[in-house]
Amino acid sequence: MTTVDATAARSRLRRRRALGWLRGIAIALVCLVFALPVVWMFAAAFKTNVQVTDPSVGLFFEPTLANFRAVLSDSEIPHAMRNSLIVGGVSTALSALIAVPAAWAVGRFRMYRTGSLILVARIIPAISLLVPWYYLFARAGLVGSYTVLILSHMFVSVPLILWIMIGFFEGLPVELEEAARTDGLSAFGAFWRIALPLA
C-alpha cells in the first residue's frame, strides 16, 4: 500500500467516525425532543396545582404525593378502573372462548361465507345499534349492569378474534389433525390437543 492510499484510507476513516458522531448526536437530540413531554408529564404528577401552572417551576421542585392520595382515595378512578378490568377481562375471555373454535371451523372447513357474515358485525357502525340494543336490554331489565357492557364489547371483539385466528389455523397442516383422528381423537379433541396449542 502506497503512502497516498494509506492517507486516503485514514481520511475515509476519520470522515466515517465524524459522520458516526454526528449521527449519534442527531439521534440523541431527536430522542430528547420526544422524551421531554413524557418527562414533563411525569414531573407534573408530583407537583401541586399551582406549580403545574407556574411556568417558572421547571423540573427542579419539592415533590409531593398529594395528587396520588387524592386520586386513590377521594375520586371514583379506582372504582372505574375495577369496572374496566372486569368488563375487559370477562368480555375478552368469553370472546376468545367463542371465536377461537369458530375460527378453527371456518379455517379448516373453508366456511368463508359464514366468516364474511360474521365480519359484517365489524362493518356496522356501533352507533346504529344503540337504539335497538337499548330497547332489548331495557326490556330484559339489564340496563346499568355489567352484562350489557360485556355483551356490547363481545359484539366487536368476537369478529376481530375470529378473523385474526383464521389465518393461524389455515397455516397448520391438515395432516396433523388427520393423524390425531386416526389415533382415536374426536374432531374437537384434535382441535383442543393439536390445532389449538400449535396455533
Side-chain angles (χ1 to χ4, degrees), residues 3-176:
T3 310
V4 175
D5 292 338
T7 306
R10 281 196 297 272
S11 175
R12 279 195 301 272
L13 184 63
R14 279 196 298 270
R15 212 169 25 248
R16 198 175 299 133
R17 283 181 182 164
L19 284 173
W21 276 101
L22 284 173
R23 189 179 300 121
I25 291 169
I27 290 171
L29 286 173
V30 169
C31 289
L32 182 67
V33 167
F34 282 104
L36 193 59
V38 177
V39 172
W40 192 267
M41 182 178 64
F42 182 76
F46 296 94
K47 292 180 179 180
T48 63
N49 288 342
V50 175
Q51 289 173 329
V52 168
T53 56
D54 186 0
S56 66
V57 178
L59 295 175
F60 303 101
F61 56 91
E62 186 177 341
T64 178
L65 294 175
N67 298 328
F68 295 95
R69 280 193 294 272
V71 165
L72 294 174
S73 61
D74 301 337
S75 73
E76 292 294 317
I77 290 178
H79 180 66
M81 289 175 68
R82 191 194 73 205
N83 288 343
S84 296
L85 284 172
I86 290 170
V87 171
V90 172
S91 65
T92 302
L94 290 176
S95 298
L97 197 64
I98 294 168
V100 172
W104 172 76
V106 169
R108 187 57 69 222
F109 301 111
R110 306 286 190 244
M111 298 188 298
Y112 295 119
R113 285 186 182 174
T114 306
S116 300
L117 187 64
I118 293 170
L119 189 63
V120 169
R122 291 285 298 167
I123 299 168
I124 297 172
I127 196 71
S128 66
L129 300 169
L130 189 61
V131 173
W133 274 352
Y134 181 78
Y135 179 76
L136 289 172
F137 292 138
R139 292 292 296 264
L142 296 173
V143 173
S145 67
Y146 285 127
T147 308
V148 174
L149 284 172
I150 290 168
L151 289 174
S152 58
H153 278 78
M154 286 176 65
F155 184 80
V156 174
S157 58
V158 166
L160 180 64
I161 294 172
L162 183 126
W163 273 98
I164 289 171
M165 291 303 296
I166 284 174
F168 286 101
F169 288 118
E170 282 182 335
L172 296 176
V174 71
E175 292 81 11
L176 293 173

